[in-house]
Amino acid sequence: QKEVEQNSGPLSVPEGAIASLNCTYSDRGSQSFFWYRQYSGKSPELIMFIYSNGDKEDGRFTAQLNKASQYVSLLIRDSQPSDSATYLCAVNIAGTASKLTFGTGTRLQVTL
Amino acid sequence: DGGITQSPKYLFRKEGQNVTLSCEQNLNHDAMYWYRQDPGQGLRLIYYSQIVNDFQKGDIAEGYSVSREKKESFPLTVTSAQKNPTAFYLCASSITQREPQHFGDGTRLSIL
């Protein structure tokens, strides 16, 4: 079992809809969770981070963390074509505070 | 502007040659990291450093070396022992080991 798993997609949503991206992780002791956006050929850009159970909102983005079920999700409201990218989930596996473990990413396509 | 600068953007390596990738940050971050990204895969950690004059191996350190003589600089050398060096190399930094990591623009390394 991979430590951080994401559906590779592509996830296709129409413009204006809500995009829901999911990530599961294997280590119950994980404490920090991050979402990065990566455009094709570019480096990852931090979108959201969350440390506690529940929701965290920033503009059109909401991160949701459920430690009991070991998943973290990213919701993008009012999706725009410019949101089309690969979204990487990253987790600090317990006991390795300095090390982020990345999922392979979900490709999001926002259609007109 | 504060940020992380990686150079060069593109690099070509000849057989048996060592090459060095530069990473400089002016964010006053303590922690710095090197990752490798291959097509369709997540980021894999090569080396990381939490403080000057100290660094640790990541998950795929074989064939690579680093130094951390200054807080601002964390160069990565890809040695001839790395038999499959073609990849996108990303440098990141964070305020401390538990804070979100931010990435430079990356260096693409190819074999001649």
Side-chain angles (χ1 to χ4, degrees), chain B residues 26-39:
Chain B
N26 59 4
L27 301 168
N28 201 33
H29 286 177
D30 284 329
M32 297 187 73
Y33 312 82
W34 274 106
Y35 293 89
R36 168 180 173 143
Q37 187 176 35
D38 294 280

PDB file of all heavy atoms in Angstrom, chain B residues 26-39:
ATOM      1  N   ASN B  26      16.589  33.480  -0.392  1.00  0.00           N
ATOM      2  CA  ASN B  26      16.784  34.687   0.420  1.00  0.00           C
ATOM      3  C   ASN B  26      15.590  34.910   1.341  1.00  0.00           C
ATOM      4  O   ASN B  26      15.227  36.047   1.658  1.00  0.00           O
ATOM      5  CB  ASN B  26      17.021  35.898  -0.481  1.00  0.00           C
ATOM      6  CG  ASN B  26      15.866  36.154  -1.430  1.00  0.00           C
ATOM      7  OD1 ASN B  26      14.846  35.468  -1.365  1.00  0.00           O
ATOM      8  ND2 ASN B  26      16.020  37.124  -2.311  1.00  0.00           N
ATOM      9  N   LEU B  27      14.976  33.792   1.761  1.00  0.00           N
ATOM     10  CA  LEU B  27      13.801  33.829   2.621  1.00  0.00           C
ATOM     11  C   LEU B  27      14.159  33.655   4.095  1.00  0.00           C
ATOM     12  O   LEU B  27      13.268  33.662   4.948  1.00  0.00           O
ATOM     13  CB  LEU B  27      12.829  32.713   2.194  1.00  0.00           C
ATOM     14  CG  LEU B  27      12.340  32.796   0.744  1.00  0.00           C
ATOM     15  CD1 LEU B  27      11.633  31.509   0.341  1.00  0.00           C
ATOM     16  CD2 LEU B  27      11.423  34.002   0.585  1.00  0.00           C
ATOM     17  N   ASN B  28      15.442  33.478   4.370  1.00  0.00           N
ATOM     18  CA  ASN B  28      15.913  33.225   5.737  1.00  0.00           C
ATOM     19  C   ASN B  28      15.332  31.929   6.313  1.00  0.00           C
ATOM     20  O   ASN B  28      15.111  31.814   7.517  1.00  0.00           O
ATOM     21  CB  ASN B  28      15.583  34.404   6.675  1.00  0.00           C
ATOM     22  CG  ASN B  28      16.470  34.396   7.912  1.00  0.00           C
ATOM     23  OD1 ASN B  28      17.632  33.984   7.865  1.00  0.00           O
ATOM     24  ND2 ASN B  28      15.921  34.848   9.023  1.00  0.00           N
ATOM     25  N   HIS B  29      15.096  30.964   5.427  1.00  0.00           N
ATOM     26  CA  HIS B  29      14.571  29.674   5.864  1.00  0.00           C
ATOM     27  C   HIS B  29      15.691  28.793   6.394  1.00  0.00           C
ATOM     28  O   HIS B  29      16.788  28.748   5.837  1.00  0.00           O
ATOM     29  CB  HIS B  29      13.863  28.966   4.699  1.00  0.00           C
ATOM     30  CG  HIS B  29      12.548  29.555   4.369  1.00  0.00           C
ATOM     31  ND1 HIS B  29      11.785  29.090   3.311  1.00  0.00           N
ATOM     32  CD2 HIS B  29      11.828  30.547   4.945  1.00  0.00           C
ATOM     33  CE1 HIS B  29      10.649  29.777   3.260  1.00  0.00           C
ATOM     34  NE2 HIS B  29      10.663  30.660   4.236  1.00  0.00           N
ATOM     35  N   ASP B  30      15.386  28.062   7.474  1.00  0.00           N
ATOM     36  CA  ASP B  30      16.378  27.147   8.033  1.00  0.00           C
ATOM     37  C   ASP B  30      16.490  25.844   7.225  1.00  0.00           C
ATOM     38  O   ASP B  30      17.558  25.297   7.064  1.00  0.00           O
ATOM     39  CB  ASP B  30      16.010  26.788   9.476  1.00  0.00           C
ATOM     40  CG  ASP B  30      16.325  27.920  10.443  1.00  0.00           C
ATOM     41  OD1 ASP B  30      17.292  28.668  10.190  1.00  0.00           O
ATOM     42  OD2 ASP B  30      15.612  28.056  11.448  1.00  0.00           O
ATOM     43  N   ALA B  31      15.342  25.330   6.771  1.00  0.00           N
ATOM     44  CA  ALA B  31      15.319  24.004   6.150  1.00  0.00           C
ATOM     45  C   ALA B  31      15.305  24.096   4.631  1.00  0.00           C
ATOM     46  O   ALA B  31      14.631  24.942   4.054  1.00  0.00           O
ATOM     47  CB  ALA B  31      14.090  23.232   6.631  1.00  0.00           C
ATOM     48  N   MET B  32      16.070  23.221   4.007  1.00  0.00           N
ATOM     49  CA  MET B  32      16.114  23.145   2.543  1.00  0.00           C
ATOM     50  C   MET B  32      16.074  21.693   2.106  1.00  0.00           C
ATOM     51  O   MET B  32      16.525  20.798   2.844  1.00  0.00           O
ATOM     52  CB  MET B  32      17.358  23.860   1.998  1.00  0.00           C
ATOM     53  CG  MET B  32      17.372  25.350   2.319  1.00  0.00           C
ATOM     54  SD  MET B  32      18.720  26.257   1.535  1.00  0.00           S
ATOM     55  CE  MET B  32      18.169  26.312  -0.190  1.00  0.00           C
ATOM     56  N   TYR B  33      15.552  21.463   0.899  1.00  0.00           N
ATOM     57  CA  TYR B  33      15.275  20.099   0.428  1.00  0.00           C
ATOM     58  C   TYR B  33      15.588  19.990  -1.060  1.00  0.00           C
ATOM     59  O   TYR B  33      15.442  20.950  -1.802  1.00  0.00           O
ATOM     60  CB  TYR B  33      13.791  19.764   0.618  1.00  0.00           C
ATOM     61  CG  TYR B  33      13.233  20.104   1.978  1.00  0.00           C
ATOM     62  CD1 TYR B  33      12.824  21.400   2.276  1.00  0.00           C
ATOM     63  CD2 TYR B  33      13.116  19.130   2.964  1.00  0.00           C
ATOM     64  CE1 TYR B  33      12.308  21.716   3.516  1.00  0.00           C
ATOM     65  CE2 TYR B  33      12.598  19.440   4.205  1.00  0.00           C
ATOM     66  CZ  TYR B  33      12.197  20.742   4.480  1.00  0.00           C
ATOM     67  OH  TYR B  33      11.689  21.051   5.717  1.00  0.00           O
ATOM     68  N   TRP B  34      15.939  18.787  -1.487  1.00  0.00           N
ATOM     69  CA  TRP B  34      16.035  18.461  -2.904  1.00  0.00           C
ATOM     70  C   TRP B  34      15.131  17.277  -3.210  1.00  0.00           C
ATOM     71  O   TRP B  34      15.164  16.258  -2.519  1.00  0.00           O
ATOM     72  CB  TRP B  34      17.470  18.098  -3.285  1.00  0.00           C
ATOM     73  CG  TRP B  34      18.323  19.271  -3.619  1.00  0.00           C
ATOM     74  CD1 TRP B  34      19.307  19.828  -2.874  1.00  0.00           C
ATOM     75  CD2 TRP B  34      18.281  20.041  -4.832  1.00  0.00           C
ATOM     76  NE1 TRP B  34      19.869  20.898  -3.527  1.00  0.00           N
ATOM     77  CE2 TRP B  34      19.253  21.044  -4.735  1.00  0.00           C
ATOM     78  CE3 TRP B  34      17.500  19.970  -6.000  1.00  0.00           C
ATOM     79  CZ2 TRP B  34      19.482  21.977  -5.742  1.00  0.00           C
ATOM     80  CZ3 TRP B  34      17.716  20.893  -6.995  1.00  0.00           C
ATOM     81  CH2 TRP B  34      18.707  21.882  -6.869  1.00  0.00           C
ATOM     82  N   TYR B  35      14.330  17.458  -4.286  1.00  0.00           N
ATOM     83  CA  TYR B  35      13.444  16.395  -4.754  1.00  0.00           C
ATOM     84  C   TYR B  35      13.746  16.093  -6.217  1.00  0.00           C
ATOM     85  O   TYR B  35      14.233  16.942  -6.965  1.00  0.00           O
ATOM     86  CB  TYR B  35      11.971  16.824  -4.675  1.00  0.00           C
ATOM     87  CG  TYR B  35      11.438  17.014  -3.285  1.00  0.00           C
ATOM     88  CD1 TYR B  35      11.525  18.244  -2.651  1.00  0.00           C
ATOM     89  CD2 TYR B  35      10.835  15.953  -2.612  1.00  0.00           C
ATOM     90  CE1 TYR B  35      11.006  18.424  -1.375  1.00  0.00           C
ATOM     91  CE2 TYR B  35      10.317  16.118  -1.335  1.00  0.00           C
ATOM     92  CZ  TYR B  35      10.412  17.359  -0.729  1.00  0.00           C
ATOM     93  OH  TYR B  35       9.904  17.525   0.537  1.00  0.00           O
ATOM     94  N   ARG B  36      13.359  14.907  -6.604  1.00  0.00           N
ATOM     95  CA  ARG B  36      13.413  14.503  -8.004  1.00  0.00           C
ATOM     96  C   ARG B  36      11.998  14.133  -8.428  1.00  0.00           C
ATOM     97  O   ARG B  36      11.267  13.463  -7.677  1.00  0.00           O
ATOM     98  CB  ARG B  36      14.347  13.301  -8.124  1.00  0.00           C
ATOM     99  CG  ARG B  36      14.280  12.594  -9.441  1.00  0.00           C
ATOM    100  CD  ARG B  36      15.214  11.422  -9.494  1.00  0.00           C
ATOM    101  NE  ARG B  36      14.987  10.683 -10.736  1.00  0.00           N
ATOM    102  CZ  ARG B  36      15.940  10.103 -11.442  1.00  0.00           C
ATOM    103  NH1 ARG B  36      17.191  10.122 -11.021  1.00  0.00           N
ATOM    104  NH2 ARG B  36      15.647   9.468 -12.557  1.00  0.00           N
ATOM    105  N   GLN B  37      11.614  14.565  -9.642  1.00  0.00           N
ATOM    106  CA  GLN B  37      10.309  14.201 -10.181  1.00  0.00           C
ATOM    107  C   GLN B  37      10.487  13.573 -11.559  1.00  0.00           C
ATOM    108  O   GLN B  37      11.099  14.159 -12.443  1.00  0.00           O
ATOM    109  CB  GLN B  37       9.385  15.424 -10.279  1.00  0.00           C
ATOM    110  CG  GLN B  37       7.959  15.063 -10.663  1.00  0.00           C
ATOM    111  CD  GLN B  37       7.030  16.260 -10.653  1.00  0.00           C
ATOM    112  OE1 GLN B  37       7.411  17.371 -10.978  1.00  0.00           O
ATOM    113  NE2 GLN B  37       5.768  16.031 -10.250  1.00  0.00           N
ATOM    114  N   ASP B  38       9.956  12.377 -11.711  1.00  0.00           N
ATOM    115  CA  ASP B  38       9.956  11.688 -12.990  1.00  0.00           C
ATOM    116  C   ASP B  38       8.544  11.730 -13.559  1.00  0.00           C
ATOM    117  O   ASP B  38       7.565  11.823 -12.800  1.00  0.00           O
ATOM    118  CB  ASP B  38      10.435  10.240 -12.812  1.00  0.00           C
ATOM    119  CG  ASP B  38      11.888  10.187 -12.380  1.00  0.00           C
ATOM    120  OD1 ASP B  38      12.741  10.341 -13.264  1.00  0.00           O
ATOM    121  OD2 ASP B  38      12.169  10.016 -11.176  1.00  0.00           O
ATOM    122  N   PRO B  39       8.404  11.649 -14.876  1.00  0.00           N
ATOM    123  CA  PRO B  39       7.076  11.760 -15.500  1.00  0.00           C
ATOM    124  C   PRO B  39       6.067  10.807 -14.877  1.00  0.00           C
ATOM    125  O   PRO B  39       6.338   9.614 -14.728  1.00  0.00           O
ATOM    126  CB  PRO B  39       7.352  11.413 -16.961  1.00  0.00           C
ATOM    127  CG  PRO B  39       8.781  11.794 -17.181  1.00  0.00           C
ATOM    128  CD  PRO B  39       9.469  11.485 -15.882  1.00  0.00           C
TER     129      PRO B  39
END
